[in-house]
Amino acid sequence: MHALASPALFAAQTAHIDERIATIRGWIINELAYPIIDLTFTAEGRTPLRLAARCEDWNSQPPSFALLAAGGTRLRTGGAHKEISPNPTSVFNAGAHPVTGFPFICSAGSREYHTHTSHTNDPWESYRSRSGYDLGGILTRYWRAWLKGTA
Amino acid sequence: MKLQDDLSQAEDDLRQAETDLAAAKKLEEAAARKIETAIHDIRKAEEHRPDAHHVAVEIATTSGFYPKEHADRLPITQPVVQELERAAKAFELTDTTGWVASVDKRMIDPRLSYAQNRLEGCVVIDWGPAEGGGGV
């Protein structure tokens, strides 16, 4: 992706991720400026989950997601994280990613999924032009996965 | 002399009265325009207001809201999918296979009508891709 094209595509795909949709979904927008998307998912009866995505080289590369507590502390392995529990879709993995060593999003669209040794045969290249794998689509997928754990 | 002064004063008063009248007419015209605009806005709002047989519908996506300006007033018997199709066209979405719709985080069935989905009043439908699979 050209150095100028990536920020332009990022801007186009995040233009409508604003307070209006955030209010409906229970998202808190902490930061939204290339290359960062920092959102907190909230829902009644759930411990909020904060996602910090780095989108350099979007969309040649998928975003890299860090899973955080609402206050900004990165989730580490070994703990029982209420932020990603319950996790009926298994999209959120509390184990150590082989590259980052941190809990990660184990679903198509995250860099951690496509670089995981178990998924190198499922490359981002086959998703990047598919419907629902723009930035808003990816965030929506993970939000819906997270919501599935809500009673 | 007094008669001359009185006449002059009367002419001044008349000019002032004419000026005041012109200003008052302008204010009256401005007020009339405001009333006209307000009536137009009220009628426009009423066109989109839900009632026992209609819902006011907005589609929320990460590509924006449909319609842009105001909710669409639709029959409660209309299948939800019809408005989703209009939104897809507006957003130039060519493939929405596997997308899901929810209202207040409750999943709805777009093939069914608003009434069958137990929707009434002002409805904001959150529409987008479903969660993908996960797991190592």
Side-chain angles (χ1 to χ4, degrees):
Chain A
M1 179 63 68
H2 188 278
L4 294 178
S6 180
L9 188 60
F10 177 97
Q13 293 186 359
T14 57
H16 296 284
I17 299 174
D18 54 18
E19 286 305 321
R20 197 172 173 199
I21 186 96
T23 300
I24 288 168
R25 293 187 169 184
W27 294 2
I28 298 167
I29 302 171
N30 304 300
E31 186 179 352
L32 188 53
Y34 185 84
I36 304 291
I37 301 175
D38 184 337
L39 297 178
T40 304
F41 296 161
T42 71
E44 199 176 329
R46 288 294 302 270
T47 302
L49 170 66
R50 185 167 170 180
L51 301 183
R54 298 199 62 92
C55 308
E56 296 95 344
D57 204 22
W58 173 255
N59 69 353
S60 293
Q61 290 291 326
S64 173
F65 284 89
L67 302 176
L68 314 170
T73 308
R74 191 163 186 177
L75 303 189
R76 296 184 176 277
T77 56
H81 300 298
K82 289 180 183 173
E83 292 85 354
I84 53 173
S85 178
N87 183 25
T89 60
S90 302
V91 161
F92 303 97
N93 190 315
H97 186 272
V99 176
T100 69
F102 287 97
F104 58 102
I105 293 179
C106 193
S107 185
S110 82
R111 198 174 305 174
E112 287 69 31
Y113 170 84
H114 295 287
T115 58
H116 194 283
T117 46
S118 300
H119 300 293
T120 49
N121 61 345
D122 192 15
W124 166 242
E125 192 57 34
S126 62
Y127 289 90
R128 58 180 286 207
S129 57
R130 279 166 56 175
S131 166
Y133 283 94
D134 60 335
L135 288 169
I138 291 170
L139 292 168
T140 301
R141 289 174 187 280
Y142 298 159
W143 170 64
R144 289 202 182 277
W146 181 77
L147 265 189
K148 280 230 161 171
T150 306
Chain B
M1 189 63 184
K2 174 135 190 346
L3 186 63
Q4 186 64 35
D5 287 348
D6 288 349
L7 183 60
S8 178
Q9 181 62 47
E11 283 171 348
D12 286 348
D13 290 347
L14 179 61
R15 275 194 292 276
Q16 184 60 50
E18 283 171 347
T19 304
D20 291 348
L21 182 62
K25 277 184 178 169
K26 279 187 180 173
L27 286 173
E28 186 186 18
E29 284 166 13
R33 281 197 298 275
K34 276 188 181 175
I35 290 169
E36 201 174 305
T37 304
I39 290 170
H40 178 263
D41 289 348
I42 289 167
R43 285 190 181 144
K44 201 171 174 184
E46 281 176 346
E47 283 174 17
H48 305 287
R49 201 171 55 180
D51 58 26
H53 305 288
H54 297 85
V55 282
V57 179
E58 288 179 285
I59 310 294
T61 77
T62 51
S63 298
F65 277 65
Y66 177 84
K68 271 187 184 175
E69 301 285 327
H70 48 70
D72 268 347
R73 187 171 185 263
L74 303 170
I76 58 170
T77 53
Q78 186 176 101
V80 173
V81 69
Q82 288 185 20
E83 190 70 349
L84 298 182
E85 285 170 354
R86 283 190 282 269
K89 196 173 176 185
F91 293 131
E92 299 179 351
L93 302 169
T94 52
D95 182 10
T96 55
T97 309
W99 283 35
V100 293
S102 59
V103 175
D104 292 333
K105 301 185 178 76
R106 174 173 70 85
M107 302 305 289
I108 62 168
D109 184 345
R111 296 167 301 180
L112 303 180
S113 70
Y114 297 96
Q116 288 168 322
N117 274 300
R118 292 180 286 119
L119 298 172
E120 59 183 17
C122 298
V123 176
V124 180
I125 300 174
D126 192 328
W127 190 41
E131 73 281 355
V136 174

